[in-house]
């Protein structure tokens, strides 16, 4: 079994590749986490993320050893990113969650994980390895906690004393037998601050997040018409949400990463909503090349922008919202109708435009938004 000295060498290699946090554990998930995952899946809290509900994948999450023949060790890794600084946002600007402000972390971290795996082949001799970040059926928090890298907070995210929760997780599964680290202890204590801080009540009980209510899910993963009761609480959050983390006392005094491999881009800092709503397909592609934001596609992002405009109280947005009633995407037309309902439902010109849209509209979801607009006048 590889022990302390080898572990120090691995830690140093991990740090060179940007993984400031590194912990070792055995490839097992305990009964509490297994049962909690089953309950979450049975309650369909994954919403439309079908990959989270598949039986085969749930089995793999509960049994990490099924991911690699002769696996001995899971190396959990954490890459810190810059905490958010969007507290002074104006209602005319959109808030993009901090994790998404730089290059897409999946691509960058995968490259770095592969480079680390090559170094480990040199250090330990050629051996079996698999690398994962985010998308594979791996219960990342549970493994990180088992190796002591972080503990799981009541908002369900992993927290570390040095970096708070502002870091990404990744794993390197290996056939090398490395001495495991001890499990993390919990440090939320009696605090429950994140639970009422969630604008949509998505933390349904300590440690459990119902994705269907979470703004991160709604603005990024969910591709449909956002349930009307959740639109107002979204405020001007247009991609992801940081609220349960910004309130957390463990994020009060955190270390800023020495090198931020996922350096936030200037144009993702509180972008003007008007500028975003003007993006066509090409403009969207150019602005969000290599960025995690392309995941929502133009239709999803502009849907979120329409909601933020509707919540802004600023009637200067009305002409631009009238323009996008002609957009090819039903998602954008429908949410523009909702925004106009918030801002100018008594305006004759707006009513005329909505009537014209109604006369030509084929999409049933957009027609439902128009019916809702008409109910209020
Ligand atoms: C699906 C997913 C989402 C979904 C669902 C989130 C969720 N909480 O399940 C949505 C789209 C909502 C989402 C949002 C976000 N996500 Co996300 N997401 C994932 C993903 C892919 C899977 C999570 C999962 O397995 N969920 C299933 C549920 C059942 O698991 P769980 O929440 O861990 O639940 C456990 C606890 O409830 C525990 N439990 C139950 N009872 C008890 C009691 C005690 C005492 C304890 C200790 C534990 C416990 O048992 C459960 C099973 O282990 C992971 C990557 C991965 N592969 O793990 C990233 C991941 C969790 N996401 C991440 C991020 C950054 C976010 C956002 C912060 C992004 C943003 N700013 O908008 C938000 C945060 C929302 C939140 N509060 O969770 C990071 C978190 C990094 C960190 N430091 O923790 C991860 C790890 C991605 C990564 N590779 O870095 N995400
Ligand atoms: S990310 Fe936002 S919406 Fe999701 S649980 Fe945290 S505070 Fe709630
Ligand atoms: S806000 Fe409080 S309860 Fe929530 S994760 Fe942080 S310490 Fe834990």
């Amino acid at each position: 079994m590889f022990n302390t000295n080898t572990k120090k060498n691995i830690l140093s290699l991990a740090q060179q590749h940007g993984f400031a946090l590194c912990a070792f554990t055995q490839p097992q998930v305990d009964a509490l986490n297994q049962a909690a995952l089953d309950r979450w899946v049975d309650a369909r809290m994954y919403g439309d993320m079908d990959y989270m509900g598949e039986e085969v994948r749930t089995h793999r999450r509960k049994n990490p050893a099924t991911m690699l023949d002769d696996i001995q060790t899971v190396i959990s890794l954490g890459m810190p990113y810059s905490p958010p600084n969007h507290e002074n946002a104006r209602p005319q600007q959109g808030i993009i969650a901090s994790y998404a402000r730089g290059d897409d972390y999946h691509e960058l971290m995968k490259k770095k994980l592969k480079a680390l795996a090559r170094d480990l082949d040199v250090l330990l001799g050629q051996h079996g390895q698999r690398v994962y970040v985010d998308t594979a059926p791996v219960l990342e928090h549970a493994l990180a906690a088992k190796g002591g890298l972080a503990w799981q907070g009541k908002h369900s995210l992993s927290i570390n004393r040095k970096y708070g929760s502002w870091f990404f997780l990744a794993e390197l599964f290996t056939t090398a037998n490395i001495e495991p680290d001890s499990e993390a202890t919990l440090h939320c204590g009696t605090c429950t601050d994140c639970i009422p801080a969630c604008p949509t009540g998505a933390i349904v009980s300590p440690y459990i997040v119902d994705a269907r209510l979470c703004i991160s899910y709604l603005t990024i993963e969910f591709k449909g018409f956002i349930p009307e009761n959740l639109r107002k609480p979204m405020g001007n959050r247009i991609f992801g949400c940081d609220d349960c983390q910004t309130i957390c006392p463990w994020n009060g005094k955190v270390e800023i990463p020495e090198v931020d491999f996922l350096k936030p881009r200037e144009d993702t800092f509180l972008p003007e909503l008007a500028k975003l709503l003007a993006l066509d397909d090409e403009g969207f592609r150019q602005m969000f090349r290599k960025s995690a934001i392309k995941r929502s596609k133009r239709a999803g992002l502009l849907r979120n922008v329409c909601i933020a405009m509707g919540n802004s109280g600023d009637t200067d947005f009305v002409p631009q919202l009238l323009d996008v009633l002609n957009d090819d995407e039903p998602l954008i037309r429908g949410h523009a109708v909702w925004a106009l309902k918030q801002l100018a439902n008594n305006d004759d010109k707006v009513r005329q435009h909505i009537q014209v849209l109604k006369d030509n509209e084929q999409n049933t979801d957009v027609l439902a938004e128009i019916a809702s607009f008409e109910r209020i006048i």
Side-chain angles (χ1 to χ4, degrees):
M1 182 183 281
F2 295 106
N3 55 24
T4 319
N5 275 341
T6 314
K7 282 166 71 171
K8 274 190 189 148
N9 291 336
I10 297 175
L11 182 60
S12 150
L13 287 171
Q15 283 170 345
Q16 284 168 33
H17 290 290
F19 300 107
L21 303 172
C22 173
F24 305 87
T25 192
Q26 287 166 332
Q28 285 135 22
V29 164
D30 65 24
L32 179 143
N33 285 288
Q34 292 196 351
L37 174 63
D38 279 338
R39 283 196 299 275
W40 191 83
V41 170
D42 289 348
R44 303 187 67 86
M45 289 195 193
Y46 54 85
D48 283 359
M49 296 180 291
D50 292 340
Y51 67 96
M52 289 299 302
E54 285 167 19
E55 213 177 311
V56 185
R57 288 176 157 252
T58 302
H59 177 74
R60 287 192 178 271
R61 278 189 185 86
K62 292 195 289 186
N63 301 283
T66 56
M67 300 291 280
L68 172 68
D69 286 345
D70 199 25
I71 181 171
Q72 300 292 323
T73 307
V74 172
I75 308 180
S76 281
L77 298 152
M79 183 179 281
Y81 60 89
S82 296
N85 56 346
H86 47 56
E87 58 281 353
N88 295 325
R90 288 183 289 112
Q92 292 81 2
Q93 295 171 317
I95 299 175
I96 293 175
S98 194
Y99 89 100
R101 291 202 41 222
D103 282 353
D104 188 340
Y105 69 98
H106 299 97
E107 291 165 27
L108 180 124
M109 285 174 75
K110 204 69 182 253
K111 268 192 209 138
K112 299 220 168 268
L113 282 166
K114 285 183 179 163
L116 175 61
R118 283 194 296 274
D119 284 353
L120 293 190
D121 268 341
V122 175
L123 181 74
L124 309 174
Q126 193 85 29
H127 63 294
Q129 300 185 71
R130 301 278 306 258
V131 296
Y132 302 109
V133 50
D134 203 11
T135 48
V138 175
L139 219 45
E140 301 197 333
H141 297 301
L143 291 168
K146 195 166 147 60
L149 183 146
W151 74 92
Q152 196 160 15
K154 288 177 190 163
H155 50 23
S156 90
L157 296 165
S158 289
I159 310 177
N160 170 276
R161 281 178 183 275
K162 202 163 165 189
Y163 295 103
S165 56
W166 308 117
F167 61 90
F168 296 109
L169 282 171
E171 298 74 31
L172 198 151
F173 284 23
T174 165
T175 57
N177 190 2
I178 307 172
E179 190 182 63
D181 291 325
S182 12
E183 192 162 344
T185 42
L186 302 177
H187 297 283
C188 282
T190 53
C191 175
T192 52
D193 289 358
C194 50
I195 298 174
C198 173
T200 47
I203 308 172
V204 289
S205 59
Y207 309 99
I208 316 290
V209 170
D210 186 337
R212 295 167 297 186
L213 299 174
C214 176
I215 293 170
S216 187
Y217 166 79
L218 294 168
T219 53
I220 305 169
E221 305 296 333
F222 182 61
K223 305 299 174 207
F225 279 66
I226 292 183
E228 193 161 359
N229 62 321
L230 298 175
R231 294 180 191 168
K232 281 196 175 153
M234 281 170 57
N236 55 343
R237 298 172 196 79
I238 56 166
F239 195 94
C241 170
D242 285 330
D243 288 29
C244 53
Q245 296 184 86
T246 44
I247 192 91
C248 176
W250 286 102
N251 279 336
K253 270 194 204 139
V254 291
E255 200 143 308
I256 307 295
E258 265 172 48
V259 188
D260 190 349
F261 291 96
L262 296 148
K263 203 170 162 351
R265 299 177 184 185
E266 218 31 68
D267 62 357
T268 57
F269 179 62
L270 300 178
E272 293 296 327
L273 297 172
K275 185 180 166 202
L276 294 177
L277 198 64
L279 289 174
D280 58 12
D281 279 336
E282 186 48 31
F284 177 84
R285 258 197 302 278
Q286 272 183 20
M287 182 164 176
F288 298 116
R289 208 169 58 88
K290 283 184 149 192
S291 150
I293 295 169
K294 64 181 182 308
R295 185 168 177 81
S296 67
K297 307 223 163 71
R298 172 180 175 271
L301 184 71
L302 270 57
R303 165 199 65 185
N304 305 339
V305 168
C306 286
I307 292 178
M309 284 182 167
N311 286 332
S312 70
D314 188 342
T315 50
D316 284 355
F317 287 136
V318 168
Q320 214 185 345
L321 285 163
L322 290 176
D323 277 353
V324 297
L325 292 179
N326 297 316
D327 198 277
D328 287 346
E329 295 286 352
L331 212 49
I332 300 173
R333 295 198 298 278
H335 288 80
V337 172
W338 180 83
L340 288 163
K341 182 170 99 175
Q342 311 309 308
L343 296 176
N345 62 67
N346 280 324
D347 186 311
D348 284 342
K349 190 173 160 213
V350 171
R351 286 191 212 173
Q352 279 162 21
H353 274 79
I354 300 283
Q355 185 58 48
V356 173
L357 177 64
K358 184 180 175 184
D359 294 342
N360 299 297
E361 187 58 62
Q362 307 283 326
N363 183 284
T364 49
D365 289 319
V366 181
L367 286 167
E369 296 291 339
I370 295 171
S372 168
F373 178 97
E374 286 173 336
R375 269 199 297 279
I376 210 161
I377 55 180

